[in-house]
Amino acid sequence: MLYHIFLMIHILGLIGWGGLTTGAYYMMVIENEATVKMLTAYRRLVIIEVISLIAMAISGLYMWIKIGMPNWVYPAFALAPILAVGEFYHYRFTFSDKFLEKMRYLSVFYTIIALFLIYDMIFKPQL
């Protein structure tokens, strides 16, 4: 039962990490505008994103221990600090006049990381 609660936290964390700011970012890209008011609101979403990332790490750690510590989880744990650094820059970019330009590169980085994590969690490659 507790495992399923942590699994739900993990899945909701994934949505919070990858979904909230993605939608807001693409709205700004479509409008080709990132006003101070938009970036202030976006900054709040980035904070929720960081909290979601932390929730994913904690719930993932619990589930990893519960299922016997398989080695296919190591890449996800190795990427956690890299994602934390990415989130630091993500937050910092919200104070920049060139937000959309800087986020273009960070968005590609996040897409590559997300695709790798999805591959890792679905196919569970043995190391």
Side-chain angles (χ1 to χ4, degrees):
M1 172 74 172
L2 191 57
Y3 178 86
H4 294 292
I5 292 170
F6 276 91
L7 178 60
M8 186 59 65
I9 290 169
H10 200 70
I11 292 169
L12 290 173
L14 178 63
I15 293 166
W17 173 68
L20 296 175
T21 56
T22 302
Y25 168 67
Y26 283 120
M27 296 229 6
M28 286 188 275
V29 168
I30 289 169
E31 294 293 320
N32 198 26
E33 182 179 25
T35 64
V36 173
K37 187 175 181 180
M38 291 169 128
L39 290 175
T40 302
Y42 186 89
R43 194 174 301 124
R44 292 183 188 128
L45 290 177
V46 173
I47 292 169
I48 294 171
E49 190 174 273
V50 170
I51 293 168
S52 297
L53 188 61
I54 292 168
M56 280 184 7
I58 292 169
S59 60
L61 180 63
Y62 172 82
M63 292 186 303
W64 178 63
I65 292 168
K66 195 73 172 168
I67 63 174
M69 299 182 194
N71 65 359
W72 55 266
V73 181
Y74 289 117
F77 286 127
L79 288 175
I82 296 168
L83 287 172
V85 170
E87 290 302 330
F88 170 77
Y89 284 107
H90 192 182
Y91 183 78
R92 293 288 306 242
F93 290 167
T94 63
F95 293 99
S96 173
D97 292 339
K98 297 185 185 248
F99 172 78
L100 292 176
E101 182 181 324
K102 291 180 178 184
M103 270 305 295
R104 187 174 304 126
Y105 299 107
L106 192 60
S107 178
V108 171
F109 166 75
Y110 279 145
T111 301
I112 292 167
I113 296 294
L115 289 173
F116 174 76
L117 287 172
I118 290 168
Y119 166 79
D120 188 47
M121 295 302 138
I122 290 174
F123 297 107
K124 299 170 180 41
Q126 296 300 315
L127 302 174

